[in-house]
Amino acid sequence: MPPGELPSVPSVLTRRQCLQTAQSIAAAQESSGAIPWFADGHTDPWDHIESAMALTVAGLRDEAVAAYTWSARTQRADGSWPMQFRDGEIENAATDVNFCAYIATGVWHYLAVTGDTAFAADLWPVVSAAIDLVVASQGDHGEIYWLRDGDTVLPEALVTGSASMYHSIGAALQLARRLGDPRPEWESARTRLGTALREHPEVFTHKDRYSMDWYYPVLGGALRGQAGHARIAERWDTFVVGNIGIRCVSDRPWVTGAETCELVLSLDALGDRDRARQLLASMQHLRETDGSYWTGLVYADGKRWPVERTTWTGAAVILAADALSRTTAGNGIFRDLAADAVPGRAIPVRVTG
């Protein structure tokens, strides 16, 4: 992809800077195609896909294909992936169900950007098996349980993970329609999950200290319109810190780049583009000279923490820049999958600390 086709956000991020960030992600990619958190770090199936999406946006197609091929090769027979790999070995064999769902978002994004229907069709059995596993993990009230270990399912659902799965099932349904393989049972499961997120907060284990629990129902598409704006406004002052980004945890003096960029994507989905752009600009202090991004900053003492530059932070920057600049055909991946959201209904925010 020529440099002129890369995302750029005036006075925030240039096309060349975007490419440099993508190259920093590719530099960490292992020969197997796995994209760890950083060179010699561990790989998890969700952040791996996030990085693959950023490589696609930046035109690093071979690297993106290698990443998706790794996902296909490492999927287990039941449609799941181990939670964590390191150097090609399984480090944690349990299954995070949301991690499994995200392959659908990645493949739909790849198809949207590249138009490569043949590759999407090749990956369709992988996506299908993964989403079948996700739907099979749904509880009686529409929530989806987040952890499986073999045949054992932990009966606990989380707002952030469920909101992300709501989005991923939506992406899977788009793929199903495009490939002529409709899945009405997924549609029903997604509708039930959206209802649970909007109307039944009591079925989720809330982690209100974390900013993701706050904005993810908007990012995932379960909540939009007036109710989406209301949810963001309710805890804006709790999480947004001046001009340096947003807190990861409400009671810690720590801002993180990926969460800031995900809030950028949430605001863009609501049409709040001015504040979205301001937030993307606010986290650029985390950028390193090679285009990589530090995970966060403890602003109480001005120290980077953790002392690592994560591929998924750089990936979130690229996806946010693409959304704001409307550059690739996949720029609306978090804006356009809110089919059954009910704008007039708010998700209650239960604040515990």
Side-chain angles (χ1 to χ4, degrees):
M1 179 184 292
E5 297 179 33
L6 271 75
S8 67
V9 180
S11 302
V12 178
L13 195 73
T14 68
R15 294 181 178 91
R16 290 190 181 279
Q17 286 175 320
C18 182
L19 179 59
Q20 187 185 34
T21 297
Q23 289 169 335
S24 77
I25 296 169
Q29 188 171 29
E30 298 172 358
S31 59
S32 65
I35 306 176
W37 283 24
F38 44 82
D40 299 321
H42 74 268
T43 300
D44 77 67
W46 195 101
D47 289 299
H48 166 84
I49 294 296
E50 183 91 337
S51 291
M53 291 166 65
L55 294 176
T56 304
V57 168
L60 302 183
R61 303 280 175 81
D62 290 345
E63 293 85 347
V65 167
Y68 288 115
T69 301
W70 176 87
S71 293
R73 190 171 58 250
T74 55
Q75 187 181 39
R76 294 184 288 206
D78 66 354
S80 72
W81 284 267
M83 192 180 297
Q84 192 165 302
F85 297 80
R86 189 181 298 269
D87 296 326
E89 301 294 329
I90 295 172
E91 196 167 66
N92 185 338
T95 296
D96 185 314
V97 179
N98 176 40
F99 285 8
C100 300
Y102 209 49
I103 185 72
T105 291
V107 174
W108 174 243
H109 177 261
Y110 187 87
L111 175 58
V113 175
T114 67
D116 190 344
T117 305
F119 185 71
D122 286 344
L123 269 291
W124 177 238
V126 177
V127 173
S128 179
I131 299 301
D132 280 343
L133 177 88
V134 171
V135 170
S137 304
Q138 190 161 38
D140 292 340
H141 302 285
E143 74 279 22
I144 295 181
Y145 300 134
W146 77 274
L147 182 65
R148 299 175 69 106
D149 195 351
D151 293 330
T152 303
V153 179
L154 176 70
E156 179 182 46
L158 307 176
V159 169
T160 296
S162 289
S164 180
M165 286 186 275
Y166 177 85
H167 180 268
S168 289
I169 297 170
L173 286 165
Q174 294 290 346
L175 279 167
R177 295 183 189 109
R178 180 68 65 87
L179 298 175
D181 188 10
R183 299 298 179 92
E185 71 276 16
W186 295 355
E187 189 87 53
S188 175
R190 185 173 187 254
T191 298
R192 292 179 63 223
L193 178 57
T195 299
L197 283 163
R198 286 187 290 270
E199 300 179 11
H200 297 287
E202 72 280 359
V203 303
F204 298 97
T205 299
H206 285 253
K207 296 181 178 289
D208 302 281
R209 294 172 61 235
Y210 295 90
S211 58
M212 288 189 292
D213 238 38
W214 163 53
Y215 63 74
Y216 243 93
V218 176
L219 179 64
L223 196 64
R224 291 289 163 86
Q226 180 182 355
H229 285 284
R231 186 174 181 91
I232 295 300
E234 188 165 1
R235 303 198 73 190
W236 181 272
D237 292 339
T238 299
F239 289 110
V240 178
V241 182
N243 61 352
I244 61 172
I246 76 167
R247 297 175 192 251
C248 177
V249 187
S250 63
D251 56 355
R252 295 289 184 268
W254 177 42
V255 295
T256 47
E259 280 81 357
T260 301
C261 289
E262 288 181 335
L263 181 56
V264 169
L265 290 163
S266 303
L267 293 172
D268 175 69
L270 292 173
D272 192 348
R273 290 169 53 79
D274 288 343
R275 287 201 301 180
R277 183 187 173 282
Q278 290 166 12
L279 277 172
L280 184 60
S282 76
M283 57 78 62
Q284 295 303 315
H285 62 91
L286 297 172
R287 186 179 180 88
E288 195 46 83
T289 55
D290 67 349
S292 62
Y293 282 81
W294 297 95
T295 300
L297 175 75
V298 179
Y299 56 84
D301 56 17
K303 293 181 179 179
R304 311 281 191 195
W305 188 83
V307 186
E308 58 189 31
R309 287 172 279 168
T310 38
T311 50
W312 41 265
T313 299
V317 172
I318 291 171
L319 294 175
D322 191 34
L324 289 177
S325 63
R326 306 293 199 266
T327 300
T328 75
N331 76 80
I333 187 69
F334 296 102
R335 192 187 313 117
D336 300 334
L337 289 176
D340 76 341
V342 181
R345 294 179 182 167
I347 305 173
V349 181
R350 185 167 59 196
V351 179
T352 59

